[in-house]
Amino acid sequence: MGPTHDDRTVELLALVADRPLVLEPELEREIGNVVRGLSERFRRPYGEFEAGVRKQATIPEGATSLGLAGTAPGLVLEVGETVVVVLPGPPGELQRLWRRALETEPVQRVLEAAPRPDHRILRFFGLPESAVARVVEGAGGEREGMDVTICAHDLEVQVDLVVQPGAEAHAQRLQQALRKELPQAFFADDDRPVEAIVLDLARGQGLTLAAAESCTGGLVAARLTSIPGSSDAFLGGVVTYHDRLKRELLGVPAEIFERHGAVSAETAAAMASGARKVLGADVAVSVTGVAGPGGGSAEKPVGLVYLHAAGPEDEKAVELHLPGDRDAVRRRAAASALHLLRRLLAQSRHSQA
């Protein structure tokens, strides 16, 4: 699809389909306009790119262009009863053209002819993958017409059920078993990230959020701000990596450091309280811990993390012993902080109800 000699996908498609390659003038003009902009940006003469433009505008006879991703056109070609879709490999470019591919009549015809299985999701937090697998197996596991996938990532476990017509009753039994056996760990039946769930819970109660982070270095705030529109609930966060900043910015008393240390439940509680006050938020979550690889001790080993979430009426605290390297500890601590926020906000919502 590309302009160089080793980009041969379109050429080979024409060969297999037994279609001649033809130069499409409108596609050549479209690609040429993009390339002219690139040639000006890089201060290279357009003539250096003309051969590549012609190559990319040369497509199998009868193919439909989906538009450009960069300079590469996506294509749809019908070959007898077969529909071939040609898309670029880089994820951003592929995603840009995939929706257009779905909108074409040949692809819609294929999708309408194919049976569409039901897709159900159950998500859990804070338990091993094996615990979920045991419940799945105890409830009958996979059967004909239903595929079960269990995937763990950063202390979350997602169960995907792909259910063909006729297997709905077994899927329902499996869902009920998972919810009944693992009620405290179950938190969602959709694929929204936990940060989106947290923001929705806060919005629903008219509450604002803040974060005070040490070992996670802003990962909690980064995940919350990755959601469009998060500013209507999330006010901001502070990264108080040095103890001096915990004292000066968050007001953590010096005696807490002297008696308990920076990595302690007491420090986490003071950080959350300070963040609520300094940032003017209704609810704040704090993280302090030992991410490693150094800095640990027998009393406070690498992976020890304290979390604290505080709201107008309720508070929740957690002590964690997280496995993995520095990156894994930080990711899992951030995920755990978001889930602690989720639990606090869900509890607050239920008490209001």
Side-chain angles (χ1 to χ4, degrees):
M1 297 171 64
T4 59
H5 73 283
D6 56 338
D7 293 312
R8 297 176 177 171
T9 300
V10 173
E11 179 184 348
L12 291 175
L13 174 59
L15 181 65
V16 171
D18 194 24
R19 299 284 182 88
L21 286 165
V22 295
L23 178 65
E24 290 289 336
E26 180 59 28
L27 186 57
E28 183 181 23
R29 183 194 63 78
E30 187 178 1
I31 297 172
N33 288 339
V34 175
V35 172
R36 283 187 180 87
L38 294 173
S39 68
E40 292 175 3
R41 183 187 309 171
F42 293 105
R43 299 181 180 180
R44 307 291 298 178
Y46 176 75
E48 292 184 7
F49 303 98
E50 282 186 300
V53 171
R54 285 194 301 272
K55 177 184 180 299
Q56 290 185 286
T58 301
I59 61 177
E61 188 177 60
T64 301
S65 170
L66 298 172
L68 303 181
T71 62
L75 301 174
V76 172
L77 176 65
E78 290 189 80
V79 185
E81 296 182 357
T82 301
V83 177
V84 182
V85 180
V86 181
L87 294 171
E93 297 181 3
L94 183 150
Q95 291 163 9
R96 198 182 315 164
L97 295 181
W98 176 240
R99 185 174 298 277
R100 297 186 191 178
L102 294 179
E103 292 171 351
T104 63
E105 191 277 331
V107 175
Q108 286 187 349
R109 196 181 337 121
V110 170
L111 295 176
E112 289 169 1
R116 296 188 180 186
D118 186 17
H119 181 203
R120 308 182 189 186
I121 296 173
L122 297 96
R123 294 167 64 202
F124 304 86
F125 176 77
L127 78 179
E129 189 176 8
S130 58
V132 178
R134 280 195 297 270
V135 177
V136 170
E137 290 303 314
E142 285 190 333
R143 291 187 181 178
E144 185 174 354
M146 189 181 77
D147 296 322
V148 182
T149 301
I150 303 172
C151 182
H153 179 69
D154 287 344
L155 308 182
E156 290 185 7
V157 180
Q158 178 166 316
V159 180
D160 289 85
L161 308 179
V162 180
V163 187
Q164 302 290 346
E168 293 88 354
H170 178 54
Q172 186 65 24
R173 286 193 297 271
L174 199 153
Q175 287 178 279
Q176 291 174 348
L178 284 165
R179 291 192 181 214
K180 180 181 178 181
E181 296 295 326
L182 307 169
Q184 299 302 316
F186 175 76
F187 73 92
D189 57 7
D190 57 41
D191 59 0
R192 287 177 301 158
V194 63
E195 51 267 32
I197 295 173
V198 165
L199 290 165
D200 285 344
L201 285 168
R203 292 187 189 102
Q205 299 171 69
L207 298 174
T208 55
L209 307 174
E213 303 181 62
S214 183
C215 65
T216 46
L219 293 179
V220 175
R223 287 187 60 167
L224 286 166
T225 55
S226 71
I227 304 300
S230 58
S231 60
D232 58 6
F234 181 63
L235 300 182
V238 290
V239 177
T240 53
Y241 208 64
H242 196 281
D243 292 351
R244 176 176 61 82
L245 296 182
K246 294 182 179 71
R247 292 193 303 269
E248 295 178 1
L249 296 182
L250 297 176
V252 179
E255 54 265 29
I256 286 182
F257 294 114
E258 294 166 2
R259 294 182 59 187
H260 305 286
V263 179
S264 65
E266 291 78 7
T267 295
M271 289 172 64
S273 176
R276 287 189 65 208
K277 181 178 180 180
V278 171
L279 299 177
D282 298 311
V283 180
V285 66
S286 65
V287 188
T288 181
V290 185
S297 66
E299 182 182 352
K300 296 183 178 182
V302 170
L304 175 65
V305 175
Y306 291 96
L307 309 175
H308 198 100
E313 299 177 359
D314 303 311
E315 296 186 37
K316 286 188 178 296
V318 174
E319 176 183 322
L320 301 172
H321 295 266
L322 299 172
D325 60 13
R326 181 180 181 83
D327 181 60
V329 169
R330 282 158 44 86
R331 289 196 329 267
R332 291 165 179 169
S336 299
L338 289 164
H339 278 280
L340 190 66
L341 267 180
R342 173 186 60 78
R343 288 170 50 208
L344 182 71
L345 292 167
Q347 178 178 299
S348 175
R349 181 186 63 180
H350 292 149
S351 65
Q352 290 178 6

